């Protein structure tokens, strides 16, 4: 079991790394839909994922994926709070799958987990 201090540190690193990639590729602290793009990059790792004009560095994608797996969490943007938040990875996987299904059928994606 991971202790609280280590968990807080890993959470902070996950958020920081996601924001860093957003800044590096789009000069935006949290680009709209960032969580979807970075998750897609993690899913297709080690295949490069183009984000903006170039691919995300492989070591960053590898670290994002590793942090998500270690924490069993992923960061998403919370419109109501106006900031990012961490949610359980199992919930994120459902949200992501639903967004892929919706985009494949032309529907608008939902950021809400299914209950």
């Amino acid at each position: 079991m991971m202790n609280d201090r280590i968990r807080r540190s890993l959470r902070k690193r996950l958020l920081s790394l996601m924001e860093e990639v957003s800044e590096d590729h789009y000069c935006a602290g949290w680009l709209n839909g960032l969580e979807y793009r970075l998750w897609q990059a993690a899913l297709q790792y080690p295949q490069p994922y183009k984000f903006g004009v170039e691919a995300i560095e492989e070591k960053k994608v590898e670290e994002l994926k590793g942090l998500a797996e270690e924490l069993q969490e992923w960061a998403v943007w919370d419109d109501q709070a106006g900031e990012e938040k961490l949610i359980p990875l199992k919930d994120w996987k459902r949200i992501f799958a639903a967004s892929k299904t919706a985009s494949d059928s032309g529907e608008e994606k939902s950021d809400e987990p299914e209950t």
Side-chain angles (χ1 to χ4, degrees), residues 23-82:
E23 275 292 336
D24 289 350
H25 291 263
Y26 282 96
C27 298
W30 192 280
L31 181 69
N32 186 31
L34 178 68
E35 57 270 45
Y36 292 92
R37 292 176 175 105
L38 294 183
W39 187 252
Q40 184 60 50
L43 289 178
Q44 69 183 50
Y45 174 81
Q47 180 184 352
Y49 182 80
K50 189 172 179 186
F51 189 54
V53 296
E54 60 186 34
I56 301 170
E57 292 175 52
E58 186 176 320
K59 67 181 181 178
K60 289 183 179 180
V61 175
E62 184 177 23
E63 185 178 0
L64 284 168
K65 186 175 183 176
L67 288 165
E69 290 171 355
E70 178 76 18
L71 289 164
Q72 285 298 296
E73 294 179 322
W74 190 246
V76 299
W77 186 259
D78 183 339
D79 285 328
Q80 290 181 334

Side-chain angles (χ1 to χ4, degrees), residues 75-97:
V76 299
W77 186 259
D78 183 339
D79 285 328
Q80 290 181 334
E83 63 184 9
E84 63 278 342
K85 70 177 181 179
L86 291 158
I87 63 171
L89 192 56
K90 63 181 170 67
D91 293 345
W92 169 249
K93 287 178 178 180
R94 279 197 305 261
I95 292 167
F96 185 81

